[in-house]
Amino acid sequence: MSLLLVVAGRWGYHRDELYYVVGGQHPAWGYVDHPPLTPALARWSNAIFPKSLTGFRLLPALVSSALLIVAAATAIELGGSHRAAAVATLAALACPMLLAGGHRFQTVPFDQLFGALAILVWLHLLGGGNSLWWLVLGLLVGAGLENKWTMLLVVGAIGVGTLASADLRGDLASPWLWLGVVLAIGLWAPNLRWQIRHRWPTLNFIRDNSSAFRHDEGWAAFLWQQLGVLGVPLLVFAAAGIVWAWREPEWRPATLGVVTIILVLAVVGAKPYYHGAFLPFVFATGALALDGWVES
């Protein structure tokens, strides 16, 4: 966080940041291409730190730093040692995608944090946690959907993994799971109501924007751009982690869910950072793979 704040004021506002600032000056339950949370946070941040770009970017820097803690906590949840948690933290710290997200006030860092926390809670459930945690998961999903609809990618991974898990399939009959679903939809409802009143502008934006991006970039660009947002060392590290997690029966459903969504993103030629919420999990699995190799 300190490094992000040191350089936070060296460049001017990014055009997206100005967009959210203006959006925050016109409060609404929705906007054409995003829900209301980020503009509201931009409005509050500007009020607390008027005319200070460094102060304005404090919140995304804090969020980016929190992702390091989530990566470490994910490694612990997977059964890793404190050494594995430290390695997962270092991997997240070295990730260009997560660093870039913490430098600008956009929907991206908040989306990554909500998604990573949701996956962490779901892993706790997958490991035998109390079913009450479905309520916490619903809270995180609902809050995340009020920030950015890419939270649905995390929901998709959780859905695939839950159906693939013999233990969690039993929770489909649990009232706590469905209360979590109701909580998530209830939190998302104000934005959905705005969408209905305005004839679903965000769906139209996603369709048009995604079509243009696929035409200009495509699946090959998605794969190639991973070199930029991750880098070769972290790609190898992540691949080793995926292999490790697939070999662990307890975590295979989670791996299936995450890999399925990443493959879908690659096939449709999505933007290269859309899988950012999965990175703490992937880095945690890589840390456990490396820790196991060191032990052996």
Side-chain angles (χ1 to χ4, degrees):
M1 184 183 74
S2 299
L3 177 61
L4 289 172
L5 292 178
V6 165
V7 299
R10 295 186 65 184
W11 296 276
Y13 287 91
H14 187 269
R15 62 177 183 271
D16 288 354
E17 292 178 310
L18 295 175
Y19 182 36
Y20 298 127
V21 167
V22 173
Q25 293 170 352
H26 303 275
W29 280 112
Y31 302 85
V32 170
D33 54 341
H34 54 268
L37 183 58
T38 296
L41 293 174
R43 178 188 179 97
W44 296 337
S45 187
N46 246 350
I48 296 170
F49 301 104
K51 300 181 181 179
S52 170
L53 184 55
T54 300
F56 179 67
R57 288 174 172 165
L58 173 62
L59 186 55
L62 287 170
V63 168
S64 182
S65 300
L67 281 167
L68 306 183
I69 300 173
V70 175
T74 303
I76 297 296
E77 186 64 45
L78 293 174
S81 64
H82 291 294
R83 179 172 58 193
V87 172
T89 302
L90 290 174
L93 181 62
C95 179
M97 184 196 302
L98 299 183
L99 281 174
H103 180 66
R104 295 173 183 166
F105 203 114
Q106 304 181 87
T107 57
V108 175
F110 306 109
D111 179 54
Q112 291 171 346
L113 181 60
F114 282 127
L117 284 171
I119 291 171
L120 175 58
V121 170
W122 178 56
L123 290 172
H124 184 66
L125 285 161
L126 197 58
N130 191 296
S131 294
L132 284 171
W133 282 97
W134 285 111
L135 294 179
V136 179
L137 182 57
L139 176 65
L140 290 168
V141 168
L145 287 170
E146 284 290 356
N147 173 70
K148 191 175 175 69
W149 282 16
T150 44
M151 187 69 185
L152 291 172
L153 298 172
V154 174
V155 173
I158 290 173
V160 170
T162 298
L163 292 175
S165 168
D167 294 330
L168 280 191
R169 278 200 304 270
D171 276 11
L172 293 175
S174 168
W176 299 115
L177 185 151
W178 296 107
L179 284 173
V181 171
V182 170
L183 179 59
I185 295 174
L187 289 172
W188 193 20
N191 181 241
L192 289 177
R193 182 173 179 271
W194 185 91
Q195 293 290 332
I196 293 170
R197 289 183 59 194
H198 294 83
R199 300 183 180 181
W200 300 98
T202 299
L203 284 180
N204 295 326
F205 173 83
I206 291 172
R207 180 194 62 204
D208 296 340
N209 189 46
S210 298
S211 176
F213 192 81
R214 286 195 299 271
H215 181 268
D216 295 338
E217 305 286 346
W219 64 268
F222 177 88
L223 297 176
W224 175 253
Q225 289 167 348
Q226 298 310 306
L227 294 175
V229 298
L230 292 177
V232 174
L234 283 182
L235 279 173
V236 174
F237 180 76
I242 291 297
V243 172
W244 174 88
W246 183 259
R247 291 176 175 174
E248 297 290 326
E250 185 178 11
W251 307 121
R252 187 173 297 161
T255 310
L256 177 64
V258 169
V259 170
T260 297
I261 298 303
I262 292 177
L263 288 176
V264 169
L265 291 174
V267 169
V268 302
K271 293 184 178 180
Y273 56 86
Y274 275 7
H275 62 305
F278 301 130
L279 292 183
F281 168 75
V282 172
F283 292 156
T285 61
L288 266 78
L290 180 60
D291 199 40
W293 178 81
V294 170
E295 287 291 339
S296 64

